[in-house]
Structure formats: structure tokens, C-alpha cells
Amino acid sequence: MGPEWTQRLATVYGDEAVEAQQRRYEEAINAFRELYGPGPVAVCRCPGRVNLIGEHTDYNNGFCLPAPLDRDVLLLVRPRSDHQVSLLNIESEQFSPRRFTLSEEIPSGPPGDWGNYARGAGQKLWQVFGPLRGFDGLVVSRPPYGVPRGAGVSSSTALTVVTAIALAHINSLNVPTEQLAQICSEAEWYVGTRGGILDQFATMLGRQGHALFLDCQPQINEDGTRHYPTELVPLLEDYTLVLVDSKVRHSHTTGGYNVRVTECRLGTACLAAHYPEVHTLRDVQSLPWEELSPLLPEEATLDDLEAMGIDVAAWLGDLRIAPDIRLKLRARSRHVYTENQRVLDSVTALRRGDASAMGRLINKAHESLRDDYEVSCPEIETLRDIIMDVEGVLGARMVGGGWGGCVVSLVEAGHEEAFSEQVAPAYEQATGHTPDVFVCRTSEGAGVAIETEC
Ligand code: GLA
């Protein structure tokens, strides 16, 4: 492994991580060679992400503040001359091989199938760019360097994005990163979740040592394409973000997430009945909440909304939810409205280096997710209560879509070890789940890390 590798890995992960990553990359490349034989190989990567604040705002065209983690999915690839994609996983016992043919419409595997994320990327890129060559690939994302799965740090996005990066590379597509990030966010709809752009932008446009202030309200370019403003904001020095994985797993594809998306769209519909220029919850951000609140029913079914004269079908598009669900439009909209403001305040706090203010905002965000958005769960609450009692913790909140996954905490540097010693056993005793505690370091956004012969 030459000095250019060392240099490259230092740029991606930081100097202190180079040695361990070199070993990891060598092992991965050797495994690829054993499976596919000697020849060229490109190592593509996509990190997981932590969102400091700005949860469930992205699909409402709001603000978020994520950062790319040093935990990443590697996809080692070699081009094929046909349209086939062969996917092996180094964790072969849990993830058996997948093979599919790229096309405009790739048949899906069963819900939850790990190959679906790659299929979604392949189908979307084909639709946008036309016929593509496939690849022989090996996915490497095992602990301790891989992206924890189902933990709210975007493991599924990482798989979608890394496939898109590989296909773009192999087919010399030369797509600007922002455009590819937009394409990847729509690629993920393939699995049935109507996510926003947070994860794809965080993992592709994020940078080491920074949070990415992302405005999900697109500006429309002259040629009709969209541009999402972003800005890199340095993370606080002397403070660490610590993630604790509750080991409670969500499944977005089973519907709770899409119900929240529905509630936001229909909340917007109620507001649009009074303010015709409103198309998303972001469009009411400049109005006082007291004016908006009475326009939003506390609870309503789809039938109630129809009776109010709202064209439910038009607002929902292809979203489908059970018709008898009581939708809490006021509380959900209030979360989005207050969360957007918290993101703006957080950017100010980071710029000023005001860690206490950042901690308070993180705590408020959690309360809002728990009470107004109702996406927490008992284990996450237990975990957070334990964390809030630890010395040096300024704030803690659930991250990601919800119903399990991780809690992120803002911790004064030097307290990380005591944090881990205190939180892990207390949580295990309370819930029976053995948590994973990891100190967040950041890395560069997704890309082709290394090209070599093996
Ligand atoms: C999931 C989605 C994101 C975002 C978050 C909640 O991670 O994939 O687009 O909506 O939930 O903030």
C-alpha cells in the first residue's frame, strides 16, 4: 500500500485513523480478490450520518443540521460488460448474495430485502441516464467500522448511495454531487419510504469536522432543476457527540413514518385553505404560530378532512395510509414549525461556540419529538433519562426517523469514558438490551476512496 493511499485515507478519515483503515481496506480488497479473482477494483464508500438537530423537517422543505460519521459502507466493485449486478456481502451469513439485471424497472425483492437499496439506485440511475454497465461487487460494513444497521444513522441510505457512486464511476457519468444526492433520495422511494433529502445530502455533501446546514426548500434554476442551499458549520471544539444505540429496531417500511408524512401534508392542506400561497409547512415559517394553530384540527380522519373541503387525494399523491387513523395535525405541524426555528438557533449557537445553548436546543428537540411528533419509544426514553444524569452531558435526543435507534448526546470532552461506563450497564439493567456506545468522529462525504489492482 503506497503513500498515496495513506494520504487519501487521511483526507477521508483523518490522520489518527489511517492505520486502522489501511488494515480494513487491505482485508476488504483481499476478500474481493478471493471472491472475484485478480484484476482492477474500485473501493467506493458512503458514511452513516448523525443529525445534530432538525428531525422530520426535510420532507417539509425545512432545515436540518447533520454530519457524516466515520462509520461507512464500503462497496468494492469491478465493472462488467453486461447489465448484471452481482452483490456479495462480507457478512455472508446474514446477507446472502443478490444478483439482478439493471433496467428501467427492476423487480423488487421482498420488503426489507437488503438488495432492494441497490436495486432502487440502479433503477433510478438507469431512468435518468439510460443503459448502464453493471458490476461485480462486495459490500463491507461490519463492526466496528461499518454503519450500524437500523440505528437511525442512515445505514440504508449508505447502501443506496454507495451503489449509485459505484454505478456513476463505472459508467463515467460525471454527475455533480448535489444532483446525484437528489437522484439518490428519489432512488430510495423504491423501498416504499417517502423520505426527504436529509440523509443523502448529509452523507454526500458533508465534510470532516463540520455539520452541514441544509435548507430543504429548493431554489429552482433557470433550466428547471433544483438547488438546495447548504453551508458547512464547524462543530464545537472541546465537545463530543456520543451516540448510544438502544438496539431497539424500527421498521420505516411498516408505515409509522409515512403516517407522519401524511399528517404534515394534510396539516399543510388545512393551512393552504387559508393561505393559498402555502405549499409546504416551510412556507408558514414566517407567520406567528398563534395564527396557525387554530387553523389546524387537533385530530381528524381522512373523512373529516374531506368533509372540511380538503382534496385529500390531491394532497396525498401516491401516499397510502389506513383510512381510520386519527391524524394529529396540530401537534405534528407544531413540531416541524418549532424544529425549523431550533435548527436556525443551533447554527447561531455553533458559530458562537455556545455549547450550553446547543445542549438546550437538543433537549427541546427531543421533547418535541416525544410529545408533539410521538416518534420516541419507552426504551429510548429510559436511555435518555439515564444519559441526562451523567456529568458533562449538555443535551441528548433521539436521532433519525424514530421508534428506536440511537440517542445522540452532546458531551464535554473528557467525560466520554465515564459516560460509557455509567450509561451502558444502567440501560442494560433497565431494558435487557446491550447498547453500543460510540464517540462520533466525522469523515468526508461519499465517493470513490481508492482505485487499485488486486
Ligand atoms: C429518516 C429519513 C430522513 C428524515 C429522518 C427524520 O432518517 O430517511 O429523510 O426524514 O428520518 O428526520
Side-chain angles (χ1 to χ4, degrees):
M1 191 174 293
E4 55 312 346
W5 274 50
T6 316
Q7 175 88 46
R8 185 76 194 108
L9 294 177
T11 314
V12 174
Y13 300 99
D15 290 332
E16 65 291 344
V18 168
E19 232 174 88
Q21 290 293 347
Q22 249 176 13
R23 271 198 303 279
R24 175 186 182 222
Y25 273 64
E26 270 166 1
E27 269 174 38
I29 290 170
N30 288 339
F32 184 87
R33 181 194 156 100
E34 266 173 37
L35 292 164
Y36 290 114
V41 59
V43 186
C44 308
R45 62 175 288 277
C46 179
R49 61 103 187 93
V50 60
N51 193 16
L52 267 76
I53 199 157
E55 217 69 88
H56 290 280
T57 48
D58 62 345
Y59 51 84
N60 291 300
N61 288 18
F63 302 114
C64 342
L65 195 59
L69 295 172
D70 64 347
R71 308 290 182 106
D72 55 6
V73 174
L74 304 183
L75 173 59
L76 292 81
V77 291
R78 178 178 298 159
R80 293 174 58 98
S81 50
D82 57 14
H83 303 310
Q84 292 270 312
V85 168
S86 154
L87 270 188
L88 303 177
N89 197 309
I90 204 144
E91 293 167 275
S92 54
E93 275 170 24
Q94 280 181 66
F95 301 98
S96 56
R98 294 288 178 269
R99 206 181 178 90
F100 58 88
T101 307
L102 293 164
S103 75
E104 202 167 43
E105 216 174 311
I106 304 175
S108 165
D113 185 292
W114 76 279
N116 284 349
Y117 296 100
R119 292 185 186 102
Q123 172 173 302
K124 186 71 198 179
L125 261 71
W126 185 294
Q127 287 167 355
V128 177
F129 299 105
L132 302 169
R133 293 170 80 179
F135 59 76
D136 287 331
L138 172 67
V139 173
V140 178
S141 184
R142 60 187 165 191
Y145 303 109
V147 183
R149 284 182 283 272
V153 290
S154 288
S155 55
S156 36
T157 293
L159 203 47
T160 307
V161 169
V162 83
T163 308
I165 299 264
L167 286 171
H169 175 66
I170 282 171
N171 291 282
S172 309
L173 294 182
N174 260 330
V175 204
T177 312
E178 186 188 334
Q179 196 195 338
L180 195 58
Q182 289 182 29
I183 292 171
C184 285
S185 72
E186 288 175 22
E188 226 175 294
W189 296 352
Y190 182 90
V191 302
T193 314
R194 274 288 149 159
I197 62 167
L198 160 66
D199 305 333
Q200 297 75 16
F201 273 67
T203 57
M204 298 180 81
L205 282 95
R207 289 287 168 267
Q208 244 198 90
H210 291 80
L212 182 79
F213 173 38
L214 168 63
D215 183 349
C216 301
Q217 175 96 295
Q219 297 173 354
I220 308 299
N221 297 322
E222 271 174 17
D223 61 359
T225 56
R226 286 162 292 158
H227 166 63
Y228 294 89
T230 57
E231 203 183 314
L232 291 166
V233 187
L235 290 166
L236 293 165
E237 282 173 28
D238 304 325
Y239 293 86
T240 314
L241 292 168
V242 181
L243 271 173
V244 185
D245 183 352
S246 69
K247 294 290 183 66
V248 177
R249 292 295 177 252
H250 61 241
S251 174
H252 284 170
T253 34
T254 56
Y257 184 92
N258 283 356
V259 173
R260 293 297 175 276
V261 179
T262 302
E263 290 173 311
C264 290
R265 286 201 194 165
L266 295 175
T268 312
C270 294
L271 298 172
H274 296 263
Y275 303 102
E277 70 286 5
V278 166
H279 303 290
T280 67
L281 285 179
R282 168 66 181 283
D283 296 331
V284 296
Q285 201 63 35
S286 57
L287 299 171
W289 176 252
E290 296 66 41
E291 237 172 73
L292 306 173
S293 180
L295 306 177
L296 292 158
E298 262 179 60
E299 281 194 18
T301 60
L302 296 179
D303 283 347
D304 296 338
L305 292 164
E306 288 282 0
M308 286 166 60
I310 286 171
D311 186 350
V312 169
W315 280 92
L316 290 195
D318 56 3
L319 267 176
R320 296 278 168 278
I321 59 153
D324 52 343
I325 298 180
R326 301 197 67 76
L327 304 161
K328 298 192 181 177
L329 304 190
R330 186 180 298 171
R332 308 306 187 229
S333 305
R334 182 167 52 214
H335 164 75
V336 176
Y337 181 90
T338 56
E339 184 80 348
N340 277 331
Q341 188 56 49
R342 282 187 289 271
V343 177
L344 297 175
D345 294 346
S346 298
V347 173
T348 309
L350 285 188
R351 287 209 184 103
R352 285 204 192 122
D354 188 344
S356 317
M358 188 68 222
R360 281 194 298 275
L361 289 160
I362 287 176
N363 289 332
K364 287 268 178 235
H366 181 80
E367 287 158 19
S368 178
L369 286 162
R370 179 191 62 204
D371 302 335
D372 273 350
Y373 222 62
E374 293 185 273
V375 287
S376 188
C377 64
E379 294 88 345
I380 288 286
E381 290 309 309
T382 304
L383 176 56
R384 180 169 178 272
D385 288 347
I386 293 169
I387 289 173
M388 290 306 292
D389 278 344
V390 177
E391 207 191 317
V393 172
L394 278 77
R397 68 173 198 87
M398 52 149 286
V399 273
W403 299 286
C406 284
V407 171
V408 65
S409 312
L410 181 64
V411 182
E412 242 178 89
H415 288 77
E416 297 89 344
E417 214 166 297
F419 176 102
S420 180
E421 279 166 13
Q422 211 171 314
V423 171
Y427 177 69
E428 183 160 359
Q429 197 181 16
T431 64
H433 296 287
T434 310
D436 279 339
V437 182
F438 52 101
V439 170
C440 293
R441 293 197 182 78
T442 51
S443 72
E444 287 296 285
V448 180
I450 274 169
E451 273 188 277
T452 188
E453 287 285 323
C454 68

